[in-house]
């Protein structure tokens, strides 16, 4: 994940939720100030605190963030004007005017994101503004929803600023829709009865990040240190599998921590992951993976392009376009775009041919997902297409490319990492997740979370900080 920098996040830890600084300084201080502040002023506290935390990590980009809040506030108000026009002629004129405002608003937001993505791709030392992909998408969805009449334009700059800058979500989402956030924004009331549930989500996410993802990350780092050209075929497969688990627990862990923090202060609980590795197709996998991003692409790109309403060829084109944009959204490097296009082709293949066969064979369909998804993550994880090609040559050594290279490396790594690999598989079982969710108020579960928290603290105190992987995007 070396293609894009993450600003000062790795040193100041202001928005790294799995850091001692955040857990024992920033978060308790914020919650204390938030709850002692009268309800009608709490949005000011959240807005100010979000900007302060962002400014501590990204001081030169805080004005960019404020500028985007101001620009989108003005665009939203402009889109609201003219809805009450009377008469067909006046309504058509106002509709054309509102379309122009929407077009300008989307272009302004998208152009800024594209500029930084391309700059980061051309200059590997370029520091991408932290969270720009996420707050840009939130801004565009807000403008589109105002244009469609699905939400009212926000008249309070502070409330809109809270929605765009809210510190639990600014680094890696989830991409909350404005209507979903509105209840929390309007009453500003973080009910104490919800704090317990929020803490449990935060601790569960912390455990996924620190005890699973970070440990699996050591294995992937070992493989990168040795070099893709020097690993054996068994270790290459182990690496692809472990990276798949690492990315899942890293991002799902972050999402739980972000959602838990939001729940504490009055925002709704959003499910951003739904056991994706239990899926039976690539299409289903991505309906369960990063759900808020997938629904954003569906509602604001795929459906406006025509969705599946204009015949098979147009549907295939729309799907491929969406997945190309998805790849570019993750990074300006060519390997990200290829990753997106490969997934698009797989989704198209399933939609028009493979899907019915997968439905008839549940076991084979699960094995298909567990085989294909790690291979696509190799494209995602490799620093370049050339490096991805080397890795695939190790995965499939059919052309004289050495399965015999370092033949003992697989056993050595497996002997060290098998406990965390086994734990990762265990916590990917849907029944385990459902049991934990159902019994979250059980005393034994609470004690287990208590133990997990302090074990995580011990790990964090004795290891270098490891920022969340999706902070890169």
């Amino acid at each position: 994940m070396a293609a894009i920098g993450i600003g000062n996040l790795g040193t100041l830890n202001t928005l790294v939720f799995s850091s001692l600084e955040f857990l024992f300084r920033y978060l308790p201080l914020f919650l204390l100030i938030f709850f002692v502040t009268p309800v009608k002023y709490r949005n000011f506290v959240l807005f100010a605190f979000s900007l302060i935390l962002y400014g501590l990590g990204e001081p030169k980009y805080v004005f960019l963030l404020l500028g985007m809040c101001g620009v989108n506030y003005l665009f939203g108000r402009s889109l609201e004007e003219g809805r009450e026009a009377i008469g067909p002629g006046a309504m058509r004129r106002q509709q054309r005017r509102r379309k122009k405002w929407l077009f300008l608003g989307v272009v302004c937001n998208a152009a800024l994101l594209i500029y930084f993505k391309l700059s980061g791709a051309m200059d590997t030392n370029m520091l991408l503004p932290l969270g720009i992909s996420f707050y840009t998408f939130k801004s565009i969805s807000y403008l589109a929803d105002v244009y469609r009449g699905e939400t009212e334009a926000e008249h309070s700059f502070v409330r809109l600023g809270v929605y765009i800058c809210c510190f639990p979500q600014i680094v890696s989402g989830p991409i909350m829709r404005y209507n979903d956030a509105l209840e929390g924004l309007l009453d500003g009331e973080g009910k104490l009865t919800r704090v317990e549930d929020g803490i449990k989500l935060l601790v569960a996410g912390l455990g996924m990040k620190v005890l699973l993802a970070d440990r699996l990350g050591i294995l992937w780092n070992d493989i990168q240190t040795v070099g893709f050209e020097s690993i054996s075929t068994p270790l290459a497969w182990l690496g692809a599998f472990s990276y798949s688990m690492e990315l899942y627990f890293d991002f799902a862990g972050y999402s739980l921590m972000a959602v838990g923090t939001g729940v504490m202060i009055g925002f709704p609980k959003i499910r951003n992951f739904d056991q994706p590795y239990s899926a039976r197709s690539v299409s289903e996998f991505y309906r369960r993976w990063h759900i808020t991003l997938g629904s954003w692409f569906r509602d604001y790109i795929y459906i406006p392009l025509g969705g599946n309403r204009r015949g098979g060829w147009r549907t295939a084109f729309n799907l491929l376009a969406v997945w190309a944009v998805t790849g570019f959204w993750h990074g300006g490097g060519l390997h990200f775009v290829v990753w997106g296009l490969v997934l698009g082709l797989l989704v198209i293949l399933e939609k028009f041919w493979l899907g019915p066969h997968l439905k008839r064979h549940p076991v084979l369909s699960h094995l298909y997902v567990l085989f294909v998804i790690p291979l696509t993550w190799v494209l995602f994880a490799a620093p370049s297409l050339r490096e991805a090609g080397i890795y695939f040559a190790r995965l499939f050594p059919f052309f004289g490319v050495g399965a015999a290279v370092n033949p003992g490396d697989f056993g050595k790594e497996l002997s060290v990492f098998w406990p965390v690999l086994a734990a990762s598989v265990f916590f990917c079982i849907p029944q385990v997740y459902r049991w934990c969710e159902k019994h979250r108020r059980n005393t034994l579960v609470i004690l287990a979370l208590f133990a997990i928290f302090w074990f995580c603290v011990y790990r964090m105190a004795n290891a270098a900080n490891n920022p969340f992987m999706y902070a890169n995007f």
Side-chain angles (χ1 to χ4, degrees), residues 8-22:
N8 297 320
L9 196 62
T11 55
L12 290 181
N13 300 332
T14 57
L15 286 169
V16 178
F17 297 165
S18 58
S19 68
L20 297 176
E21 290 89 339
F22 180 83

Side-chain angles (χ1 to χ4, degrees), residues 2-151:
I4 302 170
I6 53 172
N8 297 320
L9 196 62
T11 55
L12 290 181
N13 300 332
T14 57
L15 286 169
V16 178
F17 297 165
S18 58
S19 68
L20 297 176
E21 290 89 339
F22 180 83
L23 291 171
F24 289 100
R25 294 181 186 175
Y26 301 113
L27 183 59
L29 177 63
F30 163 72
L31 292 174
L32 176 63
I33 296 172
F34 184 84
F35 282 113
V36 300
T37 301
V39 171
K40 65 179 180 179
Y41 298 118
R42 286 180 179 175
N43 280 329
F44 289 94
V45 172
L46 181 53
F47 188 38
F49 206 85
S50 296
L51 290 175
I52 290 169
L53 286 187
Y54 193 89
L56 288 173
E58 294 275 31
K60 66 180 181 179
Y61 288 132
V62 72
F63 295 106
L64 173 68
L65 182 59
L66 269 173
M68 288 192 70
C69 292
V71 166
N72 285 292
Y73 173 79
L74 294 174
F75 276 127
R77 295 297 301 273
S78 299
L79 286 167
E80 182 184 46
E81 295 174 3
R83 281 186 183 171
E84 296 80 16
I86 299 174
M91 291 178 67
R92 283 195 296 270
R93 286 193 297 273
Q94 290 298 343
Q95 184 69 1
R96 287 195 296 268
R97 187 191 64 81
R98 294 178 68 242
K99 275 186 178 180
K100 290 178 182 177
W101 281 118
L102 177 64
F103 176 77
L104 286 173
V106 171
V107 167
C108 285
N109 283 283
L112 200 63
L113 177 60
I114 292 169
Y115 166 76
F116 280 108
K117 289 286 187 181
L118 292 178
S119 298
M122 292 184 286
D123 180 3
T124 56
N125 295 316
M126 173 78 178
L127 294 181
L128 196 72
L130 186 65
I132 187 171
S133 296
F134 292 91
Y135 60 73
T136 297
F137 274 21
K138 288 173 76 173
S139 300
I140 291 174
S141 71
Y142 163 72
L143 296 180
D145 289 349
V146 172
Y147 172 79
R148 295 170 178 174
E150 294 176 6
T151 190

Side-chain angles (χ1 to χ4, degrees), residues 36 59 83 100 161 169 210 230 234 262 321 343 395 416 428 437 455 472:
V36 300
R83 281 186 183 171
K100 290 178 182 177
Q169 301 173 7
V210 175
S230 300
L343 288 172
L395 289 168
V416 174
C428 279
E437 194 172 51
F455 190 33
N472 291 309

Side-chain angles (χ1 to χ4, degrees), residues 363-379:
V363 175
L364 289 178
S365 62
H366 283 303
L367 293 176
Y368 156 77
V369 169
L370 295 177
F371 174 76
V372 168
I373 290 296
L375 295 180
T376 62
W377 285 136
V378 170
L379 281 171

Side-chain angles (χ1 to χ4, degrees), residues 243 247 282 285-286 289-290 293 297 320 322-331 333-346 372-382 385 392 470 473:
Y243 182 85
L247 188 61
V282 172
F285 181 90
Y286 280 100
W289 176 282
H290 202 347
L293 178 65
F297 278 115
L320 208 57
V322 166
W323 279 103
V325 174
T326 302
F328 179 77
W329 180 85
H330 282 86
L334 183 59
H335 62 292
F336 286 115
V337 178
V338 172
W339 168 76
L341 291 173
V342 167
L343 288 172
L345 290 172
L346 287 170
V372 168
I373 290 296
L375 295 180
T376 62
W377 285 136
V378 170
L379 281 171
F380 185 89
L385 282 179
F392 274 100
Y470 257 70
F473 309 118

